[in-house]
Amino acid sequence: DVKETGKNNYRWFSDTIEDIRTRRMLIEQFLKDAINGEELTLHYQPKWDLVQNKIAGVEALLRWTNPQLGHVSPYEFIPIAESSGIINDMGEWIMRTACRQFVAWQKQSPGMSLIVAINISGVQLLQPNFIERIQGVFTDENVDPCHFELEVTESFAIENFEEVINILVELRNLGFMISIDDFGAGYSSMKYVCQLPIQCMKIDKTLIDQLADNVRSQVVVSTLIEMAHRLKLTVVAEGVELPEQLHLLRTYRCDQIQGFLISKPVPADRVIELLHTNDLVR
Ligand code: C2E
Ligand code: MG
Ligand code: MG
Ligand code: MG
């Protein structure tokens, strides 16, 4: 059941299994229409290059606001989109929208160098015709895949190692850059990481969170960065919020950082403005 808490906000009482089921069902039902309607948007979060002192790229992050449910977090709706199969059409919408946005930015700011990253859900990656689909989008929209990076989560890549590796190799051959997302949140098996055709490692926020006040996590993060560098990977630290974290990451020679310290994810029309701001990091 829904109860009104005032201010047009609905609060969901998810104490019971029944309530959880109802909300899941509603999300699934509304999500189907959301793709065709105007409820989905992409926001973009900059990746700040610590060596070149500029924005190296942006990560597209999905936002959903539904008239009944209000704003729903991707942490909640992505798993539902995955289990219901909606993620496949939704993922195509994300790729197409990001391509069109990239073309629009290029027109606005000719000669800019900007890599756009999109998150690819594991379910989406393993659909039988994923390669044809992604190729179709980039051909339709006339965008060279070399401007795009695909983020695949560590846990997923390792759980489905054999299948994933073949698809990643194909994507790599098409020209996409591949990064392993949320590294350190899962198994973090070095044996697997060395075998994946990736160019970039994103260190999970949970490791960054502990950085400023935990010596052990300083050892882990600095060692991880060194190892990634020796594997010729670019390293991005996720969820950097504090100047102390930035300071440590600089001493570890981390390549790029992402997080609220630099910028939250912003709507597309604010990206060009951010690109021309040189003092995002003080
Ligand atoms: P992710 O790909 O690891 O993205 C990073 C998440 O951390 C984003 O949450 C971002 O807004 C948030 N974040 C970034 N910097 C900070 C910080 O300094 N502090 C804090 N507290 N948070 C920070 P968001 O946008 O809610 O997305 C959550 C997750 O949902 C993403 O994690 C990704 O796994 C998934 N997701 C989001 N958009 C998409 C999408 O378009 N496709 C797919 N398949 N998954 C998506
Ligand atoms: Mg990501
Ligand atoms: Mg991540
Ligand atoms: Mg994460």
Side-chain angles (χ1 to χ4, degrees), residues 6 23 28 32 34 53-54 56 80 97 119 161 181 195 198 233 274 276:
R23 182 164 166 90
E28 189 175 327
K32 284 189 183 125
N53 269 312
K54 67 181 190 82
I80 298 174
T97 304
N119 291 284
F161 192 66
D181 202 352
Q195 295 178 60
I198 55 174
L233 303 177
L274 282 179
H276 294 298

Side-chain angles (χ1 to χ4, degrees), residues 59 119 151 181 202:
E59 176 180 3
N119 291 284
E151 297 190 6
D181 202 352
K202 298 188 74 177

Side-chain angles (χ1 to χ4, degrees), residues 133-181:
R133 257 184 130 164
I134 192 168
Q135 215 173 357
V137 170
F138 280 77
T139 307
D140 286 353
E141 304 302 332
N142 200 16
V143 173
D144 188 330
C146 74
H147 301 296
F148 272 68
E149 183 176 323
L150 308 176
E151 297 190 6
V152 178
T153 60
E154 180 207 3
S155 54
F156 174 78
I158 289 172
E159 278 160 24
N160 303 276
F161 192 66
E162 300 301 331
E163 284 165 279
V164 165
I165 207 161
N166 294 328
I167 299 167
L168 293 185
V169 167
E170 283 191 72
L171 290 168
R172 189 66 199 128
N173 290 338
L174 291 176
F176 291 103
M177 273 176 285
I178 316 281
S179 54
I180 190 113
D181 202 352

Side-chain angles (χ1 to χ4, degrees), residues 31-241:
L31 217 44
K32 284 189 183 125
D33 304 323
I35 305 171
N36 310 313
E38 309 264 273
E39 295 175 23
L40 295 179
T41 50
L42 291 179
H43 280 198
Y44 298 87
Q45 187 179 33
K47 293 183 184 178
W48 182 264
D49 190 312
L50 289 173
V51 180
Q52 302 186 59
N53 269 312
K54 67 181 190 82
I55 292 177
V58 290
E59 176 180 3
L61 292 157
L62 194 54
R63 295 291 174 261
W64 180 32
T65 308
N66 173 272
Q68 275 83 20
L69 299 172
H71 174 76
V72 186
S73 162
Y75 285 119
E76 186 176 15
F77 72 77
I78 294 282
I80 298 174
E82 289 177 332
S83 63
S84 61
I86 298 171
I87 195 72
N88 294 337
D89 288 342
M90 183 184 271
E92 179 162 339
W93 180 91
I94 293 163
M95 296 189 287
R96 200 173 290 281
T97 304
C99 278
R100 290 183 180 167
Q101 190 56 62
F102 175 77
V103 171
W105 284 329
Q106 268 193 326
K107 281 205 184 108
Q108 272 176 278
S109 193
M112 62 153 200
S113 68
L114 184 74
I115 301 290
V116 179
I118 47 184
N119 291 284
I120 304 292
S121 147
V123 176
Q124 188 190 357
L125 195 81
L126 291 184
Q127 68 183 299
N129 58 349
F130 179 66
I131 297 291
E132 290 95 273
R133 257 184 130 164
I134 192 168
Q135 215 173 357
V137 170
F138 280 77
T139 307
D140 286 353
E141 304 302 332
N142 200 16
V143 173
D144 188 330
C146 74
H147 301 296
F148 272 68
E149 183 176 323
L150 308 176
E151 297 190 6
V152 178
T153 60
E154 180 207 3
S155 54
F156 174 78
I158 289 172
E159 278 160 24
N160 303 276
F161 192 66
E162 300 301 331
E163 284 165 279
V164 165
I165 207 161
N166 294 328
I167 299 167
L168 293 185
V169 167
E170 283 191 72
L171 290 168
R172 189 66 199 128
N173 290 338
L174 291 176
F176 291 103
M177 273 176 285
I178 316 281
S179 54
I180 190 113
D181 202 352
D182 301 344
F183 193 84
Y187 309 94
S188 310
S189 167
M190 301 308 151
K191 170 175 163 247
Y192 290 119
V193 167
C194 316
Q195 295 178 60
L196 289 170
I198 55 174
Q199 290 70 54
C200 173
M201 175 189 285
K202 298 188 74 177
I203 300 181
D204 193 65
K205 182 178 189 307
T206 52
L207 286 179
I208 306 303
D209 282 342
Q210 305 162 6
L211 201 55
D213 37 41
N214 183 327
V215 178
R216 281 169 178 249
S217 83
Q218 292 170 8
V219 173
V220 171
V221 172
S222 58
T223 308
L224 210 51
I225 293 173
E226 197 187 319
M227 181 202 71
H229 281 162
R230 294 184 69 178
L231 293 169
K232 305 275 188 283
L233 303 177
T234 300
V235 184
V236 182
E238 291 194 290
V240 178
E241 293 179 346

